[in-house]
Amino acid sequence: MTDLANLPERTFPEPAAMLQLIKPITWFPPMWAYLCGAVSSGASPNGQWLLVILGVILAGPIVCGMSQAANDWCDRHVDAINEPHRPIPSGRIPERWGLGIAVAMSVLSLFFGAQLGPWGFGATVLGVLSAWAYSVEPIRLKRSGWWGPGLVGLSYESLPWFTGAAVLSAGAPSTQIVVIALLYGIGAHGIMTLNDFKALEGDRQMGVNSLPVTLGPERAARVACWIMALPQAIVIALLIAWDKPFYALAIAVLLAAQVWAMTVLLSNPKARAPWYNGSGVTMYVSGMMIAAFALRTLL
């Protein structure tokens, strides 16, 4: 374990480490979900491109980046076990700077959210609060393998989807949009659970009760697969009920391919989780956009 107290204290952080802290690779899901919301609203983007671009930037680099900075600062002792090369435990970003970046980006998030009107600002407030509730003591919902991934899934998928639809339509989204956005957010719980596999040892030592810790890798992987698959099956059924069979068929094909990928995952969950995150998750988010276009045609 890396001894954080014995690391040389820097005065200023490394610029490259600051970018690593906010993890650009994690920005895609909320950005994509915001675009899904914009598409599903049925509103024309003509004359509203600024709202689309601003919302995508807010969802990804700003709010998601802020959440990553907050999580890394709150997780600095766990990361010293799991990933000591990360910016804060490695000493490339002083601890006080890590907290300062997270707080400054929270304020920046609220400023940008205010530019998206009342719906956009309200969603941004909720997103910022959720990010801190996930990571910071004494709330730290990350300690729970059920509440933590659930909150992240809803924040990464459902909330930005709802926000994109509300901002583009300048009002509350339809019930159908809300239901589909919630289903994909619930399914993302399974994606977040698979992401916990890489931190298994450190989580166990630091009392973070992720599903891989409490259930073991094999059972946790099976639970994650069910949580990912069932909401998509419900989406398919709803699209059929809403007379959108071709969209339902396209998502069903993607789900069938995911089920095959899940069988590969379950053969060795700990080793195959990163592979599934690159293959099965791609099909999952592709289905989200197909569902968004199906909702668009309902209006």
Side-chain angles (χ1 to χ4, degrees):
M1 174 178 175
T2 300
D3 187 352
L4 296 178
N6 293 330
L7 287 173
E9 181 75 7
R10 296 177 59 94
T11 303
F12 298 101
E14 290 182 4
M18 294 174 70
L19 181 62
Q20 185 182 350
L21 181 71
I22 59 177
K23 299 184 186 68
I25 196 172
T26 66
W27 300 347
F28 173 76
M31 294 167 70
W32 183 255
Y34 183 90
L35 288 174
C36 287
V39 168
S40 68
S41 72
S44 171
N46 293 332
Q48 301 194 86
W49 284 110
L50 182 60
L51 293 177
V52 175
I53 295 171
L54 182 60
V56 168
I57 294 173
L58 176 65
I62 300 178
V63 175
C64 184
M66 174 277 299
S67 73
Q68 296 300 327
N71 184 62
D72 264 29
W73 184 80
C74 295
D75 266 7
R76 59 197 184 279
H77 299 294
V78 179
D79 288 340
I81 300 170
N82 290 321
E83 299 174 273
H85 59 276
R86 279 191 171 184
I88 296 176
S90 69
R92 289 177 294 137
I93 292 183
E95 285 190 24
R96 64 182 184 278
W97 270 89
L99 177 59
I101 290 169
V103 172
M105 291 188 71
S106 298
V107 175
L108 186 65
S109 298
L110 297 175
F111 172 78
F112 272 83
Q115 313 310 309
L116 295 178
W119 287 101
F121 181 70
T124 303
V125 171
L126 185 57
V128 170
L129 291 175
S130 296
W132 285 102
Y134 177 76
S135 299
V136 75
E137 297 287 358
I139 305 172
R140 197 162 168 77
L141 294 179
K142 184 176 183 176
R143 282 194 298 256
S144 168
W146 294 105
W147 289 105
L151 179 65
V152 174
L154 293 174
S155 299
Y156 271 39
E157 307 295 0
S158 302
L159 184 60
W161 188 318
F162 178 93
T163 306
V167 168
L168 266 290
S169 60
S174 68
T175 301
Q176 292 95 328
I177 289 176
V178 173
V179 169
I180 296 298
L182 281 174
L183 285 168
Y184 276 108
I186 292 169
H189 184 296
I191 298 173
M192 297 304 116
T193 295
L194 294 181
N195 194 50
D196 286 336
F197 276 83
K198 69 179 187 295
L200 180 59
E201 294 306 320
D203 286 349
R204 183 180 289 121
Q205 292 181 43
M206 300 301 293
V208 176
N209 296 317
S210 67
L211 293 190
V213 170
T214 58
L215 300 180
E218 289 75 19
R219 289 181 62 197
R222 287 196 294 272
V223 169
C225 288
W226 279 107
I227 292 175
M228 288 184 286
L230 285 177
Q232 292 180 84
I234 297 173
V235 169
I236 293 167
L238 287 173
L239 292 181
I240 292 173
W242 295 336
D243 197 27
K244 299 297 174 185
F246 294 108
Y247 294 96
L249 177 61
I251 296 174
V253 170
L254 288 171
L255 178 56
Q258 288 171 73
V259 170
W260 168 80
M262 288 171 185
T263 63
V264 177
L265 166 69
L266 293 175
S267 66
N268 190 344
K270 192 172 181 180
R272 294 287 188 177
W275 171 83
Y276 187 89
N277 282 333
S279 55
V281 173
T282 300
M283 292 182 277
Y284 184 94
V285 299
S286 298
M288 288 173 58
M289 187 58 76
I290 293 172
F293 274 101
L295 290 168
R296 185 180 186 86
T297 63
L298 283 173
L299 302 177

